[in-house]
Amino acid sequence: MEFKFDSAQEFQLEAIAAACGLLEGQPLARSQLVAPKGASFQVIANRLDLDEGALLANLHKVQTEHGIKPDAKLETIETEIETVSGKRQARFGNFSVEMETGTGKTYVYLRTALDLFARYGLRKFIVVVPSIAVREGVLKTLRITEKHLKELYGNPPYRFSLYDSANLSQVRTFALSDGLEIMVMTIDAFARAENVIKAATDRLQGEKPIHLIQAVRPVLILDEPQNMESENRVAALAALDPLFALRYSATHRNPYNVIHRLTPFDAYRQGLVKRIEVASVIEEDNANLPFIRLEDIKIKSHKPVAVMAVHKLMAKGAIKETVLTIKHGDDLAEKTGRSDYQGFIVDEVNYGSGFVRFANNVELRKGAAVGTEKQAIFEAQIRYTIEEHFRKQARYRERGIKILSLFFVDKVDNFVSDNGTIRKLYIKAFNETKAKYPEWSAADPMKVQASYFASKTRKGGEVEYLDTSGKTKEDESAFDLIMSKKEQLLSFDEPVSFIFSHSALREGWDNPNVFQICTLREVGSETERRQQVGRGIRLPVDQSGDRVRDESVNVLTVVASESYERFVTGLQSEIEDAYGIEGVPPPPPNARKRAKIKLRKQYFLKPEFKQLWEKIKHKTQYAVTVDTAKLIADVVPELDKATIRKPRVTIAKAEMRVAAKEDMFEAIVQSGARTAIDLAGRYPLPNLVEVMEGLMENTSPPMRVSRRTLLETFRRTKIRQTALDNPHEFATVAVSIIKSKLSDQLVDGIKYEKIDEWYDQTLFEAEIETWKDYIVASKEIGGVGGTHLYDSVPFESETVEKAFIEALEKRKDVKLYIKLPNWFTVATPIGEYNPDWAIVMTNPENGADLLYLVRETKGTLDLSKLRPDEKRKILCGQSHFRGALGVDYKVVTDAAQLPSGGI
């Protein structure tokens, strides 16, 4: 298997463009050996010529373009560091990219590094990771994308390495290389005073490795930076003296300056991740034990209080799970009205450590519970997960999709020990279930599983993560399979299909073919649900490495030891805490409430359907003509208005002072950088057309126009002098404008033509199964059957689509409507377009004739507020339906705009 990569995904290109936009106006830096003050060595370093004022202006522009409220200031980290020339202040900016797990953030930041190298000559990057799981994931991505990225960027001088304290010569190679260097380091490799990186060594002629790293002014790429927010780790990052830091995570703790945001809702709506379903395994009608679950600990009126779920005696004698707020001294027997809770008097509520202790010495940590049949719940969860795994594998084997299931266990010993509870339950459930599935009947449960449990150990000042049972070759093989050999794990030739972990795989690791996550442990933190779900929401791949984009397949089942409602509420509150109420996706559907949508086949005989289908069933082909003259005419005026900064030498004023604590000088900046020498025209003019052609093809997204077009654009512009002053900056700005105008023209000039092919109406007969929570029944009104082609209508949006369906069902002038299935698509230059609705209704002008409509529902009629590709697909839809098929097509926000409203 070889993974395939799509280099033209708009949401990834937007994230790359955001980071590159921060440095607009930065001249291309050429490689040059420099010797730091007081050093006996030379390095090839990164350089940033923009002052903080220019960076802030660029930040505001990027944030505005990406719909993010502009920040008032640059969020910098500033602290004193020790360098080869003594102690001084380090200060660097921090820019955050928020991307939902599973949407390719590692791929994005690797391409960002390559774009920054191509555009600005930045060449030294350090990817800092918090753990071995993240590290191995990054290294795996570097390996499997190397060929793809080199082809995409024209084979640049590009090398990656893993920092190893036993091989310090690689640090010198990193510092002296004039190509693009990406070094991967764990934060613990340089966060402690005793780390090898901070000690002088003969292997570097007496130099400290960290001094060489400081001298190159690396760009830091922080992967999962929420794990690097302690005072010690922030100081460790500053000690590398970075030029700036790019921070990538789905769950930032401190966002600093956010430059791009892809929320869970965005990813869910765009089909970039699997949908989520929840199978809840809970006790019901069991009040035989004093049940207590500690939900949360809060501060109220300056005192800690506990939020607990208990079984309370209700007025009519029923026992009901109820959430109470409890403080020190409260007696649960009194609060619940039940003597079963005798002795449960709150002795301590500890906010800092997150636990409650009772007078009977029972102690509960946040998320934990007592009074439950834990082993029975575990057994049911495991059994359900195994059976769901067997069912899905049988269903999708012919499509070449291997199914994986991931178990999060409560305690390591419960699985690694021969007598471990979860281990025994897994073997028992597997052996009892496999008899019903011939494919698995001969399988040994322990031969089709692998486990990874991590613990920290220190050796020579380093912190490593080791498999706790890593004394055998079998354990090492399991580690390699889970962490490094992703292709092998996804092959049908590899028997391992079930993976067990505790918390080592909580962040940084995921596998696209995880279809079940079984949570055999309590949720212990505010972000743990998102972290657990994140291990399995990436879209799956088949045996050829191709991404599967079938929504009926791409479903992640979470088997949780809590109610469906509680899981959903918790997951949504975690996302809401991170993004606000608008970032919350639709609630995950209940896995145990499926519904089949039935076709009203008799509707095929209706004349309304026959006429509608005859109008819309036809396929088309499109032709795109690039009007070169218009393209140049559109580009030149905007290029004429562009600001092309001259290359220059700048001076920043600083006051030299004696530090209060030590006998040393320190510099206090008094003013920002100003131009001292204008370097315009000092460099030989390159072949500008070749430079522009290279940028067109090797920056995101790759495009092509003729050399004659590029030359004519240069010839007509009024700012040709700026190309002489600063050729690369001119080429960069010009190419950016050309690409923007060309994208619009591809769609604006598209022409569709009906061809002798069409969709067969028998395609409607395919069975549709979906979640019951996301359908609206097409009901009988006044004795007349519902007007939808099927007896129910699926929807994705509560506020737009569901409301639209409900309104259509109430209208007597709507004779028939169809939520167009996923297979009904229109080809466009930017991907397949699936329109929303086909409608037959009475013409209000005469009450007799029928109108045959196709409508797209959106939350706005202002197309400029939609994502660029959404807008472009709508324009293609207009050309297909209106132009080629003669069908009335419009965008509407609600059913009140039918028949003639909308755009």
Side-chain angles (χ1 to χ4, degrees):
M1 177 189 294
E2 183 175 318
F3 288 106
K4 312 287 177 58
F5 299 95
D6 183 354
S7 63
Q9 296 193 82
E10 185 181 1
F11 71 97
Q12 294 180 338
L13 300 179
E14 288 174 352
I16 296 167
C20 293
L22 288 170
L23 301 187
E24 186 175 331
Q26 167 76 10
L28 177 67
R30 306 185 185 281
S31 62
Q32 183 178 355
L33 282 170
V34 295
K37 184 179 178 181
S40 60
F41 57 82
Q42 291 183 312
V43 299
I44 294 177
N46 287 331
R47 193 183 78 219
L48 182 61
D49 297 329
L50 302 180
D51 59 24
E52 289 195 1
L55 279 176
L56 183 60
N58 285 343
L59 173 65
H60 286 168
K61 182 179 178 183
V62 167
Q63 289 177 323
T64 300
E65 289 174 348
H66 289 257
I68 298 167
K69 183 180 178 181
D71 293 321
K73 62 176 183 176
L74 291 176
E75 296 293 342
T76 60
I77 290 175
E78 185 171 5
T79 189
E80 185 177 75
I81 65 171
E82 182 180 339
T83 70
V84 68
S85 56
K87 291 186 177 180
R88 66 172 178 81
Q89 288 295 113
R91 177 183 172 93
F92 62 98
N94 289 261
F95 307 100
S96 296
V97 173
E98 294 180 353
M99 291 185 69
E100 178 62 355
T101 302
T103 56
K105 66 178 170 58
T106 309
Y107 178 82
V108 164
Y109 67 61
L110 294 180
R111 284 196 59 180
T112 298
L114 282 154
D115 268 32
L116 290 173
F117 176 65
R119 287 186 61 172
Y120 305 118
L122 297 181
R123 59 193 73 236
K124 304 298 171 69
F125 296 83
I126 296 179
V127 179
V128 183
V129 299
S131 68
I132 194 171
V134 184
R135 187 195 75 186
E136 292 300 313
V138 172
L139 290 172
K140 181 64 179 178
T141 303
L142 279 163
R143 294 186 192 106
I144 64 178
T145 60
E146 185 175 14
K147 177 183 175 183
H148 162 75
L149 293 178
K150 284 188 174 180
E151 290 175 352
L152 186 62
Y153 286 88
N155 200 30
Y158 156 44
R159 194 180 77 95
F160 61 87
S161 60
L162 170 65
Y163 170 78
D164 181 359
S165 60
N167 182 20
L168 293 178
S169 62
Q170 65 180 347
V171 176
R172 182 176 294 281
T173 301
F174 176 81
L176 286 172
S177 170
D178 66 350
L180 173 60
E181 290 281 332
I182 300 175
M183 180 182 286
V184 182
M185 302 179 75
T186 58
I187 183 72
D188 288 320
F190 59 94
R192 297 182 168 277
E194 66 268 26
N195 287 134
V196 171
I197 198 171
K198 297 179 181 179
T201 173
D202 291 340
R203 286 175 284 176
L204 295 176
Q205 290 75 50
E207 297 293 348
K208 296 180 180 180
I210 196 168
H211 288 166
L212 274 76
I213 291 174
Q214 290 171 343
V216 305
R217 301 300 312 280
V219 174
L220 297 187
I221 295 174
L222 308 184
D223 196 325
E224 306 293 353
Q226 66 273 17
N227 297 308
M228 306 175 198
E229 293 290 351
S230 68
E231 184 177 346
N232 179 58
R233 289 186 167 190
V234 170
L237 296 172
L240 299 180
D241 199 16
L243 208 60
F244 56 88
L246 297 173
R247 313 170 75 92
Y248 292 82
S249 179
T251 53
H252 287 281
R253 185 181 301 171
N254 183 347
Y256 295 86
N257 294 127
V258 178
I259 58 172
H260 178 74
R261 178 173 284 142
L262 180 71
T263 67
F265 178 74
D266 295 330
Y268 189 96
R269 182 184 61 184
Q270 296 176 41
L272 306 178
V273 293
K274 293 191 188 88
R275 294 172 178 264
I276 302 168
E277 63 181 17
V278 183
S280 60
V281 180
I282 59 173
E283 288 182 85
E284 291 190 68
D285 301 321
N286 180 10
N288 299 301
L289 296 171
F291 166 76
I292 310 168
R293 183 176 62 241
L294 180 55
E295 303 271 4
D296 200 2
I297 299 176
K298 300 179 179 180
I299 299 296
K300 188 175 182 180
S301 300
H302 307 291
K303 293 181 180 179
V305 296
V307 180
M308 294 180 181
V310 296
H311 284 167
K312 185 178 180 179
L313 179 64
M314 309 307 290
K316 294 185 178 181
I319 303 294
K320 183 179 179 180
E321 183 176 317
T322 307
V323 176
L324 303 175
T325 299
I326 304 296
K327 63 183 184 301
H328 177 266
D330 282 348
D331 185 343
L332 293 190
E334 295 179 3
K335 291 284 185 180
T336 61
R338 300 183 63 209
S339 60
D340 304 75
Y341 286 93
Q342 197 70 41
F344 282 94
I345 300 171
V346 179
D347 190 47
E348 180 181 358
V349 180
N350 194 310
Y351 177 80
S353 298
F355 70 84
V356 171
R357 186 169 58 247
F358 296 95
N360 58 7
N361 286 323
V362 172
E363 187 172 295
L364 271 181
R365 305 199 74 80
K366 193 164 81 170
V370 294
T372 64
E373 292 291 349
K374 190 173 183 179
Q375 183 165 325
I377 292 174
F378 281 179
E379 181 175 1
Q381 286 182 270
I382 293 168
R383 190 177 297 275
Y384 184 89
T385 303
I386 291 170
E387 186 134 29
E388 184 72 3
H389 184 113
F390 289 172
R391 285 195 292 260
K392 285 186 180 177
Q393 190 59 85
R395 195 179 304 151
Y396 302 137
R397 173 172 282 277
E398 287 187 0
R399 298 188 61 166
I401 302 170
K402 180 180 176 181
I403 305 298
L404 299 177
S405 291
L406 173 63
F407 295 80
F408 285 110
V409 304
D410 62 337
K411 297 177 182 177
V412 174
D413 284 345
N414 271 349
F415 190 79
V416 299
S417 169
D418 288 341
N419 292 316
T421 300
I422 292 174
R423 186 189 189 98
K424 291 193 295 184
L425 290 174
Y426 162 70
I427 293 172
K428 178 175 180 285
F430 189 100
N431 286 331
E432 291 178 355
T433 306
K434 70 181 184 180
K436 296 185 290 183
Y437 298 89
E439 178 183 353
W440 298 91
S441 59
D444 181 338
M446 295 309 291
K447 294 290 178 63
V448 296
Q449 68 77 35
S451 60
Y452 172 50
F453 302 102
S455 64
K456 292 184 179 181
T457 181
R458 287 191 173 83
K459 181 180 180 182
E462 306 295 334
V463 177
E464 299 173 347
Y465 288 75
L466 299 178
D467 191 352
T468 53
S469 55
K471 297 179 180 179
T472 69
K473 290 184 178 179
E474 199 173 280
D475 297 322
E476 292 175 4
S477 175
F479 170 83
D480 287 341
L481 179 64
I482 294 171
M483 303 304 297
S484 304
K485 298 178 179 178
K486 189 176 288 187
E487 297 95 332
Q488 179 180 332
L489 184 57
L490 294 177
S491 169
F492 284 131
D493 294 333
E494 171 54 56
V496 169
S497 301
F498 298 88
I499 300 169
F500 289 81
S501 184
H502 178 259
S503 58
L505 300 183
R506 186 183 63 190
E507 289 178 322
W509 180 91
D510 65 69
N511 190 293
N513 286 29
V514 169
F515 279 85
Q516 287 76 236
I517 293 179
C518 184
T519 58
L520 303 171
R521 59 194 299 262
E522 300 291 348
V523 175
S525 74
E526 293 180 356
T527 59
E528 189 160 341
R529 286 184 187 85
R530 286 189 68 200
Q531 290 167 343
Q532 289 178 345
V533 168
R535 301 317 103 211
I537 61 174
R538 192 181 297 272
L539 296 182
V541 297
D542 60 21
Q543 295 298 292
S544 299
D546 290 315
R547 197 71 65 184
V548 177
R549 301 188 184 278
D550 185 338
E551 289 189 1
S552 67
V553 173
N554 298 340
V555 180
L556 172 67
T557 303
V558 179
V559 186
S561 57
E562 57 183 332
S563 72
Y564 153 70
E565 293 85 1
R566 181 169 176 259
F567 181 92
V568 172
T569 300
L571 181 63
Q572 288 183 317
S573 66
E574 290 165 13
I575 297 170
E576 189 173 336
D577 287 344
Y579 295 104
I581 189 67
E582 293 184 357
V584 179
N590 191 331
R592 298 190 172 185
K593 291 186 178 180
R594 293 274 190 166
K596 291 182 179 179
I597 296 177
K598 295 180 180 178
L599 174 68
R600 291 164 165 157
K601 201 167 182 180
Q602 69 274 19
Y603 281 26
F604 282 171
L605 303 176
K606 286 190 171 188
E608 293 92 343
F609 174 82
K610 290 181 178 179
Q611 288 294 323
L612 173 66
W613 192 238
E614 186 59 31
K615 289 178 179 292
I616 69 171
K617 71 179 182 181
H618 297 280
K619 296 184 180 182
T620 57
Q621 62 184 13
Y622 65 83
V624 176
T625 302
V626 176
D627 186 339
T628 303
K630 184 178 184 302
L631 176 63
I632 296 170
D634 289 343
V635 168
V636 170
E638 192 163 331
L639 181 57
D640 288 345
K641 293 185 289 185
T643 300
I644 312 292
R645 299 186 187 185
K646 295 180 180 181
R648 61 207 179 279
V649 174
T650 62
I651 295 178
K653 185 179 181 182
E655 179 183 354
M656 190 179 297
R657 293 181 183 176
V658 177
K661 295 183 180 180
E662 298 184 46
D663 292 333
M664 60 173 291
F665 290 110
E666 62 181 3
I668 307 299
V669 176
Q670 299 284 67
S671 63
R674 62 178 178 82
T675 300
I677 303 173
D678 186 346
L679 301 178
R682 293 197 176 197
Y683 309 111
L685 183 65
N687 185 322
L688 199 61
V689 171
E690 284 188 0
V691 173
M692 293 171 69
E693 192 174 41
L695 289 171
M696 286 290 297
E697 295 179 9
N698 297 319
T699 59
S700 308
M703 291 184 175
R704 288 186 178 182
V705 294
S706 69
R707 288 191 165 199
R708 180 177 296 178
T709 300
L710 298 175
L711 185 61
E712 187 64 13
T713 300
F714 172 75
R715 191 185 68 79
R716 291 193 194 180
T717 183
K718 297 176 182 178
I719 59 168
R720 289 191 296 277
Q721 181 59 43
T722 62
L724 302 177
D725 294 340
N726 196 343
H728 190 272
E729 178 68 7
F730 174 89
T732 300
V733 172
V735 165
S736 176
I737 295 170
I738 291 169
K739 285 188 173 185
S740 175
K741 300 299 182 184
L742 181 57
S743 296
D744 288 336
Q745 191 179 123
L746 286 173
V747 172
D748 290 343
I750 196 166
K751 293 182 180 178
Y752 283 84
E753 181 181 52
K754 186 161 67 174
I755 59 176
D756 194 28
E757 292 180 19
W758 54 84
Y759 288 107
D760 195 302
Q761 73 179 36
T762 58
L763 291 170
F764 285 105
E765 297 176 17
E767 183 177 275
I768 299 177
E769 184 179 3
T770 187
W771 297 300
K772 191 173 182 179
D773 296 352
Y774 289 100
I775 59 174
V776 174
S778 181
K779 301 177 181 178
E780 292 188 0
I781 300 175
V784 179
T787 51
H788 191 251
L789 183 63
Y790 295 83
D791 65 358
S792 298
V793 193
F795 67 90
E796 293 182 0
S797 165
E798 291 267 355
T799 56
V800 179
E801 287 195 356
K802 185 179 181 183
F804 189 79
I805 296 165
E806 291 171 342
L808 290 182
E809 287 291 324
K810 294 175 183 177
R811 290 183 60 155
K812 293 183 179 180
D813 59 346
V814 174
K815 302 304 179 184
L816 178 79
Y817 73 101
I818 307 170
K819 178 70 168 70
L820 291 168
N822 291 338
W823 49 260
F824 189 92
T825 60
V826 178
T828 83
I830 51 174
E832 296 293 309
Y833 166 50
N834 174 215
D836 286 335
W837 311 96
I839 304 166
V840 183
M841 64 184 299
T842 305
N843 188 336
E845 292 183 3
N846 56 33
D849 296 337
L850 295 179
L851 300 176
Y852 301 89
L853 316 175
V854 174
R855 292 293 184 263
E856 181 76 22
T857 44
K858 293 295 180 186
T860 177
L861 295 181
D862 185 352
L863 297 188
S864 66
K865 292 182 179 179
L866 300 177
R867 297 191 322 275
D869 271 4
E870 278 186 309
K871 174 184 174 182
R872 289 169 182 146
K873 286 182 178 181
I874 286 171
L875 295 175
C876 290
Q878 291 174 349
S879 181
H880 167 84
F881 288 107
R882 295 179 189 173
L885 303 186
V887 174
D888 186 334
Y889 170 95
K890 287 185 178 180
V891 178
V892 296
T893 57
D894 58 58
Q897 294 167 351
L898 296 175
S900 58
I903 59 167

